[in-house]
Amino acid sequence: MSQPARKILIKDGPVIVLVEPQLGENIGMVARAMANFGLSELRLVNPRDGWPNEKARSAASRADHVIDAVSVHSTLGEAIGDLQFVCATTARSREMIKPVLGPTEAATRLREMHIAKARCGVLFGRERWGLENDEILLCDAIVTFPVNPAFASLNIAQAVLLMSYEWMKTADMPAPFGEAIIPAKRENVAALVEHVIASLDETSYFHPPEKRERMEQTIRSILTRPGFSDPEIRTLRGVVASLERRWLKKAGKQPD
């Protein structure tokens, strides 16, 4: 008598990142939703109740391979630093220079990047108020869900389930025509942004002071929007460094 075919556990796809999740039960239900649709890498940023969490394991309903591989990070920048394409989920549109995608379109874009061997991630915010604008600025695109505008509240596990389902639907998607440009790692983009802002500080660009926050936010949004590659990031940092040297020389200062 032939043996039944052994089921293969799918463990692939984008990283799921939860920012400051509160209840262990919610983390467990997220892990279960991920396992249902073939996702396996879960990263937590400052979980309120610490980690490991037995309530999370219980709620995960045997999605132990997800729970066992969870990594915990103290900052969002650290959690996404090695990723090259990141989508931020939000229930409302934001006034930012970012592409706004529906879940189906976002999943297709994630699959294209995945096929091109880019490390991808999907970012989910806090249970009560979601993601801050500064956190969304670190990402490449915004994902909004087509929900009832009079009742737009999704819990975190539902949101992860929706994105995981859309991801699984793209499993048979053919490779896109032509070679995809793989975006730079988030940590390299962040380094470029901080380099530019520090240089602008030297030239007293942020004036008047009360407008600094908005001006800095605009710069961050501009520099994270295009999907620069790592070689392009290196070139841009070289350009900024050259301008710094020129300005220091003109100002009669010595570079550090």
Side-chain angles (χ1 to χ4, degrees), residues 18 21-33 42 44 47 49-68 70 127:
L18 307 184
Q22 296 180 11
L23 300 176
E25 292 90 339
N26 287 344
I27 298 172
M29 288 188 286
V30 164
R32 181 178 182 178
L42 176 60
L44 310 178
D49 296 337
W51 195 262
N53 187 307
E54 286 308 311
K55 291 182 179 179
R57 185 176 295 277
S58 177
S61 188
R62 299 191 303 278
D64 292 331
H65 65 289
V66 179
I67 295 295
D68 290 340
V70 165
E127 288 94 330

Side-chain angles (χ1 to χ4, degrees), residues 89-141:
T89 60
T90 177
R92 59 193 186 280
S93 60
R94 312 283 182 123
E95 293 181 359
M96 293 186 184
I97 312 172
K98 297 281 182 187
V100 179
L101 312 175
T104 301
E105 187 180 5
T108 299
R109 182 66 176 147
L110 286 163
R111 181 66 71 173
E112 289 173 349
M113 288 288 100
H114 181 73
I115 291 171
K117 307 301 183 185
R119 290 281 284 151
C120 303
V122 186
L123 186 60
F124 297 84
R126 303 153 188 84
E127 288 94 330
R128 293 185 62 187
W129 69 87
L131 294 167
E132 304 284 0
N133 283 347
D134 286 349
E135 293 162 343
I136 294 174
L137 280 171
L138 298 175
C139 301
D140 297 279

